Amino acid sequence: MEVVKFIPIHNWDNIVASTIKGKLNDVGGEVEVKNGNTKFTVRYAQDESGLDFISAKGEETHFVWDVFFAAVDILKQSEDGKALKGDADKGTLGTKALPVDSVEGYIAANVFGMKKRQKVEKNITKIGTFLKWADIVTVGKDYLQLNEQFK
């Protein structure tokens, strides 16, 4: 399958979409990102509906654009642009480990329509690592924080 190397940045794109498109366009539509020992490739989806994340084992996860918009949206809701990542491995949606106002919880509830007490697939590491690569967030041990130009 051929990699989509370029997606136009439109005047209706929000700052998140235009930033991600600009950065991915600069590297030919595909980038390898790393978090510790975990590496994955991120590239435009063939239908341009979002991004595909491919693990070193070849496992693919598709994220629609709204995943990234929601991540930034929940961060903008706090005064300092900071929110807990959430931990889907340690709890269900709405629990202390995965509150609805954490980044992962907010995405699960608002993009995927999940309800409290449902099990959520862990995606925060992929999402946070990619948004860090795109210079949109800073990643802490248990939080994400918007970089200044996105607040």
Side-chain angles (χ1 to χ4, degrees), residues 46-59:
Q46 287 291 313
D47 64 1
E48 300 180 13
S49 63
L51 302 175
D52 292 332
F53 286 59
I54 301 97
S55 73
K57 296 177 184 177
E59 298 162 339

Side-chain angles (χ1 to χ4, degrees), residues 123-143:
N123 288 310
I124 192 61
T125 302
K126 295 174 194 167
I127 294 164
T129 301
F130 178 72
L131 290 174
K132 178 182 175 185
W133 173 83
D135 294 323
I136 294 172
V137 303
T138 300
V139 178
K141 182 176 190 259
D142 61 353
Y143 67 88

Side-chain angles (χ1 to χ4, degrees), residues 4-110:
V4 175
K5 297 182 185 303
F6 181 88
I7 293 181
I9 298 170
H10 302 287
N11 59 358
W12 60 79
D13 283 333
N14 65 30
I15 189 171
V16 177
S18 61
T19 299
I20 290 171
K21 288 178 179 182
K23 298 243 180 216
L24 269 178
N25 287 346
D26 287 348
V27 295
E30 181 177 61
V31 65
E32 185 177 282
V33 292
K34 185 177 177 182
N35 180 17
N37 292 330
T38 305
K39 286 189 222 175
F40 48 91
T41 300
V42 180
R43 63 179 171 222
Y44 290 124
Q46 287 291 313
D47 64 1
E48 300 180 13
S49 63
L51 302 175
D52 292 332
F53 286 59
I54 301 97
S55 73
K57 296 177 184 177
E59 298 162 339
E60 191 168 314
T61 305
H62 176 73
F63 293 118
V64 294
W65 290 107
D66 284 345
V67 166
F68 307 100
F69 305 159
V72 171
D73 185 49
I74 188 64
L75 295 171
K76 282 185 172 185
Q77 291 180 30
S78 72
E79 281 188 35
D80 58 358
K82 187 176 184 179
L84 289 174
K85 290 179 186 177
D87 192 341
D89 286 342
K90 293 185 179 172
T92 57
L93 185 59
T95 62
K96 186 176 180 181
L98 188 59
V100 177
D101 63 353
S102 68
V103 178
E104 185 133 68
Y106 187 83
I107 291 168
N110 292 283

